Amino acid sequence: MSATNPLVRLRYRFFPDHVIGEILSKRWSDNAIPFAALVVALVVFGSVNPRMFTAFGLYDIAGQLAEFGLVAIALSLVMISGGIDLSIGSVFALCALTVLTALNVYGLPLSAAAALTLGVGAACGAINGFLIGVLRLRAFLTTLVTLVMFRSVYEMVLPGFATQIVLGMPDSPVWDALGFEALLGLPYTFYISAALAVVWHIVLSRSRPGWHIAAVGGARRSAYNAGIPVRRVLLLTYVSCSMMVAVAAILFGARMTSVGLDTGLGMEISVLTAVILGGTTLGGGRGSVAKALIGSVIVLILTNGLLQLGVIGTVSSLILGVVLLAAVWLDVRWVKNRQKLIDSSYVSPAYIRLADTLDAEDGTAGVFAVNDRLRTVETIGLGEVEGPEDVAVDRAGNVYSGSRHGEIHRWLAPDFRTHEIFAHIGGGTFGMNFDRDDNLVVCVGGMGLYMVTPAREVVKLTDEITRSWNSVIDDSRIRLADDLDIAPDGRIFFSEASIRYTVHDWPVDMIESRGNGRIICYDPRDGSTRTVLRNRIFPNGIVCLPDGQSLLFNETWACRVCRYWFDGPRKGQVEIVLDGLPGYPDNINRASDGNYWVCLVGMRGPVLDMAMTRPGFRRRMTRRIAPANWLYPNINTGCVIKITPDGEVLESLWDRGGVNHPMVTSCKEHEGHLYIGGVSNNRVGRWKIPGADPTWSSPVDYWGERP
């Protein structure tokens, strides 16, 4: 086995499976298959018919794309909202007839003709939207009926104006420019469509109406329960769809200058094929402008290529129908299996061999020998708080702790019987410390770094950072801010335990042990946030050393304490100070004698230690076994140890059997007592330290006496 260990380590370090899972989980990964289909179409038809991509061929395709692409975007809006509009071909024909009749027959100005055409499109969309959104009729059947209705109106009106439309000639330079002039080899209509596409991209991806459309399509009842006006959203979506079709019809009228009985006929099939080929799902909630345009280009290349190859119209329609069936099949299969692919590849354990350690069991000797020294811990706020992961003590001796409910609790000195909610932040609160001005700086899981002023005002300091240019993972959002400390110059260094998982998924990060964490620095002097250290294995507790140049931090799953120099001649260097701990280190804080208190949240076991060297086994475990049966660290019993700055362990404090204070995630020394928190506890502990300086306090040690 020893011979294969280096190969296993290299395989899981340099060929991690989680990259595949990360890519599949991105929204833009939906464009991979359509983009590949586009490349294939370009290569095939470009080699068979090179004339398609000459200057004239590109000009012709660009003109068609200006109209066809807008209709595809319009249909995408409706499909993202969970509906469908089969009447777009009839609306297109009716609007094209309207603009040409207004210009060629009645001689209206272009602005009036365009407004009238948009009005016709809005009226058609309002009919569909009212029937589907307000009366809740089936979208497929309703738009199938309105397809026939709008087409019938078109065919009844067309014979009365067809001749006059052909013979008429509007006196409008703008109209002529839209139809026949170009800029940089592309028609003006192409640029108009491109501008509208950008606008709709912003609406769908960056605005409240766009989010409402996606929410309604993803889960209509949930959207309604969330307060979204579902009926109004659907009504406006259909109106917007038909108005976009009207714009496309205006551009078509400028290019063709006439209409016929076949105008818009069968367009719904072609556009539906393009939209589904682009990756917009039939089920709603998923789609984009880019997907619609990619699908539009594919369909236009396919239809134009077949036409130039001499394929008759019926055969071309048959081929397009087959493509539509294939696209629908791929869409259904992709939606069904995408999450399975993500689940099977996202969790990617790494190879990690923990350093050997001394036994910490009953009957063993040495500094880690189990004892009952914490059995005498007093309790503060028993039953008044849930999950006090960290504690802090102010200059007056008042005790603070966070909770899993997003509240900052405070117990007033000297007897700690008076309890109050000091502040409400809203997220699970973890590491906390006081700055020079007695502001309480807090790490909030899923929210970032916050500050609570003495006046109880909650201020967000930072919740994002510049995304790494070479990272597949989107590490711009701070997911799991864990613990913090403040340097003498005011800079706040805090750990983000994992850039992949949230606080609720910490066991998955443990199973990976890949080095998903980092150390971040927030500088209040200029408001900047930057990553100073990457690829750490669940970095947790942080304490700044008095030298103002370095800090100690714990790597929980690696069972070690490290030192990092953020300033000075050794800036950027990392050194392992203490390795092979018998448990998983959580927070670390200063002691009155110049040493440091380290909390072990749980103890190691031989089975889990061995599993850490079997990444394949851990991966199979996550895929085949329910999470309740996974291997977990033992976090039922922990302890507190004291170490020197150089990593020498001086003593350990235990509660044998976990009778009084079993869970330990943090501890702060203040005036001869150790105040203890635990993320699974329902109280704060207070333990008298034998021989400790009864006048020492952390705020004074950090910032000195108040003037």
Side-chain angles (χ1 to χ4, degrees), residues 438-450:
D438 293 332
N439 299 303
L440 184 62
V441 185
V442 185
C443 288
V444 186
M447 295 175 59
L449 189 68
Y450 281 71

Side-chain angles (χ1 to χ4, degrees), residues 278-296:
T280 300
T281 181
L282 288 167
R286 182 167 62 91
S288 67
V289 170
K291 290 179 171 64
L293 294 179
I294 290 175
S296 299

Side-chain angles (χ1 to χ4, degrees), residues 442-496:
V442 185
C443 288
V444 186
M447 295 175 59
L449 189 68
Y450 281 71
M451 178 179 72
V452 184
T453 67
R456 304 190 181 189
E457 179 187 3
V458 178
V459 180
K460 182 183 75 173
L461 298 180
T462 182
D463 62 354
E464 62 182 354
I465 195 170
T466 303
R467 179 172 178 175
S468 304
W469 66 269
N470 60 344
S471 175
V472 177
I473 301 170
D474 183 2
D475 58 359
S476 60
R477 180 171 62 90
I478 298 174
R479 286 182 172 87
L480 186 49
D482 203 327
D483 193 30
L484 66 92
D485 203 11
I486 306 172
D489 59 6
R491 284 180 293 175
I492 302 171
F493 291 89
F494 64 100
S495 59
E496 184 178 15

Side-chain angles (χ1 to χ4, degrees), residues 80-82 212-226 228 230 283-285:
I80 293 172
S81 71
H212 284 180
I213 291 173
V216 170
R220 187 166 299 183
R221 181 170 294 276
S222 297
Y224 175 80
N225 293 335
I228 296 176
V230 174

Side-chain angles (χ1 to χ4, degrees), residues 17 54 60 79 105 109 111 125 144 196 206 256 320 325 331 337 392 400 407 446 479 485 496 504 507 599 647 676 686:
D17 303 313
T54 61
D60 185 51
M79 292 179 63
V105 178
S111 58
L144 185 61
L196 288 174
R206 298 291 187 272
M256 301 301 294
L320 198 62
L325 286 175
D331 175 71
N337 295 302
Y400 300 74
E407 299 162 336
R479 286 182 172 87
D485 203 11
E496 184 178 15
H504 304 291
C599 300
I676 305 172
R686 182 173 184 257

